[in-house]
Amino acid sequence: MAPHPKKLLDQVRDALRLKHYSLRTEETYVDWITRFILFHNKRHPKDMGNAEVEAFLTHLAVDLNVAASTQNQALCALLFLYREVLKKDLGPVDSIRAKKPKRLPTVLSREEVRKVIGCMSGTYQVMAKLLYGSGLRLMECVRLRVKDVDFAQHQIVVRDGKGEQDRITMLPDSLIALLQEHLQRVKQLHKQDLAQGQGAVYLPYALDRKYPNASREWGWQYVFPSDRLSQDPRTGKTRRHHMDESNLQRAVREAARLAAIAKRVSCHTFRHSFATHFLQSGYDIRTVQELLGHKDVKTTMIYTHVLNRGGLALRSPLD
């Protein structure tokens, strides 16, 4: 008896995992594909095409008034469905791809950064200092492993950053003692886990099969672990994952409120400020590009807007 074919969404998950997409992307794509199917009264996507995709994206833009980035995220999910799962060409999609508005990043002054970080404490303050002092992205910070913090060389190795790229960035001298103290507490937590028969963490690319004991080694532990054990949704194994990024996001928003900063401050604002303050200090844009991990210098060029104002700026006729 022939096995039943997998359901469509299970086929989508298999295709995403085959190409090493993250769990976050997997959940997002499956959600958009589900919404697309429900919008068209549960018709199977193989019976639909470009016209139905355009109708769905129009609904998102006109009826739900979503941002261009959200609309394009939905399009990427549907393109993946048709190209990688259904093996069906939707044809040209340029006409239905939303044009992203060009926006300048929100940047804090050095004094504003000090105020916000000063309103934080404990682990969250350590993380905020890393975001600003090393230019890390939010997920790069929460996924940081002990082995990738090099105190001797004063550097951090960012593994599998955006686009699955590794890079090296700086570890601020002023943060070394604070981070070492934090890791002592994390090591005690890890020892407690080991004593209770736990202590394992997630390892990428099936390394836990190649090195069965590596997941319990100190070097592979997260620098910022969760305060509780949880079950891996893919494998069902109980492990201590990294801290939920939403905790840091809330802490940053609350600190900005306490510091009375009127700007919209997020975790990524620290990265923007890191790049901007480097350029203001006269460092070469290529150096900043490497520290940020940008593939194209054009991405880094957005921070050159700082050269049009402040201490390095042209002076207004009014002044």
Side-chain angles (χ1 to χ4, degrees):
M1 185 176 178
H4 291 290
K6 285 191 174 183
K7 294 181 179 180
L8 178 65
L9 294 182
D10 289 334
Q11 294 178 44
V12 172
R13 292 187 180 95
D14 287 348
L16 287 163
R17 293 176 189 182
L18 179 65
K19 293 183 174 292
H20 298 288
Y21 280 71
S22 69
L23 178 61
R24 182 186 302 271
T25 302
E26 177 183 319
E27 292 171 343
T28 301
Y29 276 26
V30 168
D31 179 62
W32 280 121
I33 292 168
T34 302
R35 291 173 66 174
F36 171 67
I37 294 171
L38 293 176
F39 176 76
H40 288 293
N41 300 314
K42 299 184 179 180
R43 289 172 61 193
H44 197 287
K46 67 181 175 57
D47 300 323
M48 298 186 281
N50 193 290
E52 287 78 11
V53 170
E54 185 172 355
F56 177 64
L57 297 177
T58 300
H59 160 69
L60 294 179
V62 176
D63 300 330
L64 302 185
N65 195 30
V66 302
S69 57
T70 303
Q71 185 179 338
N72 286 334
Q73 185 186 69
L75 175 59
C76 288
L78 297 178
L79 287 175
F80 185 90
L81 168 67
Y82 279 95
R83 292 175 178 174
E84 304 297 336
V85 181
L86 299 177
K87 308 300 181 183
K88 181 178 179 180
D89 187 9
L90 283 177
V93 296
D94 291 340
S95 60
I96 56 178
R97 191 181 296 277
K99 183 178 180 181
K100 289 185 180 180
K102 185 178 180 181
R103 302 191 188 282
L104 293 178
T106 299
V107 176
L108 300 176
S109 68
R110 287 176 171 82
E111 180 59 29
E112 287 173 331
V113 169
R114 283 192 287 270
K115 284 183 178 179
V116 174
I117 292 179
C119 290
M120 304 175 74
S121 61
T123 301
Y124 296 135
Q125 187 182 73
V126 176
M127 298 177 81
K129 286 183 175 181
L130 268 178
L131 294 176
Y132 175 62
S134 304
L136 299 181
R137 297 180 177 91
L138 170 62
M139 296 310 299
E140 292 171 348
C141 181
V142 298
R143 290 172 177 161
L144 189 61
R145 310 262 187 170
V146 172
K147 67 182 181 61
D148 295 323
V149 180
D150 189 338
F151 290 108
Q153 299 294 325
H154 293 211
Q155 67 184 25
I156 292 174
V157 181
V158 179
R159 306 286 185 184
D160 281 340
K162 193 171 182 179
E164 294 190 321
Q165 298 293 314
D166 292 356
R167 74 177 190 278
I168 293 177
T169 188
M170 62 186 61
L171 173 62
D173 293 348
S174 59
L175 191 53
I176 288 178
L178 195 61
L179 194 53
Q180 287 176 331
E181 182 182 336
H182 166 78
L183 286 176
Q184 288 177 1
R185 294 191 295 270
V186 174
K187 194 165 189 176
Q188 289 303 314
L189 178 63
H190 178 53
K191 287 181 178 179
Q192 292 174 19
D193 286 345
L194 290 173
Q196 296 170 5
Q198 298 291 339
V201 293
Y202 164 77
L203 297 185
Y205 307 120
L207 286 177
D208 54 344
R209 287 202 298 270
K210 189 175 182 180
Y211 306 107
N213 298 320
S215 64
R216 288 180 169 80
E217 292 177 2
W218 168 236
W220 279 102
Q221 302 303 305
Y222 290 111
V223 174
F224 303 107
S226 171
D227 59 0
R228 61 177 64 88
L229 299 174
S230 59
Q231 191 177 68
D232 189 315
R234 287 182 173 177
T235 64
K237 294 181 180 179
T238 299
R239 294 186 282 222
R240 188 176 295 278
H241 203 47
H242 58 66
M243 178 190 293
D244 191 318
E245 67 274 11
S246 63
N247 295 335
L248 179 57
Q249 290 171 321
R250 283 193 295 270
V252 168
R253 287 196 297 269
E254 177 62 15
R257 186 188 67 79
L258 292 174
I261 304 297
K263 300 172 183 177
R264 185 182 178 187
V265 180
S266 68
C267 294
H268 212 65
T269 305
F270 289 119
R271 179 173 159 89
H272 292 322
S273 303
F274 167 87
T276 301
H277 296 164
F278 252 99
L279 290 174
Q280 283 179 329
S281 298
Y283 286 95
D284 180 75
I285 194 167
R286 293 286 183 179
T287 301
V288 179
Q289 178 193 357
E290 290 182 9
L291 291 172
L292 293 175
H294 289 160
K295 287 184 179 179
D296 194 330
V297 73
K298 290 180 181 178
T299 308
T300 319
M301 287 290 289
I302 192 172
Y303 297 110
T304 58
H305 73 280
V306 301
L307 302 181
N308 297 324
R309 64 183 183 211
L312 303 177
L314 299 173
R315 292 183 64 82
S316 165
L318 181 63
D319 297 331

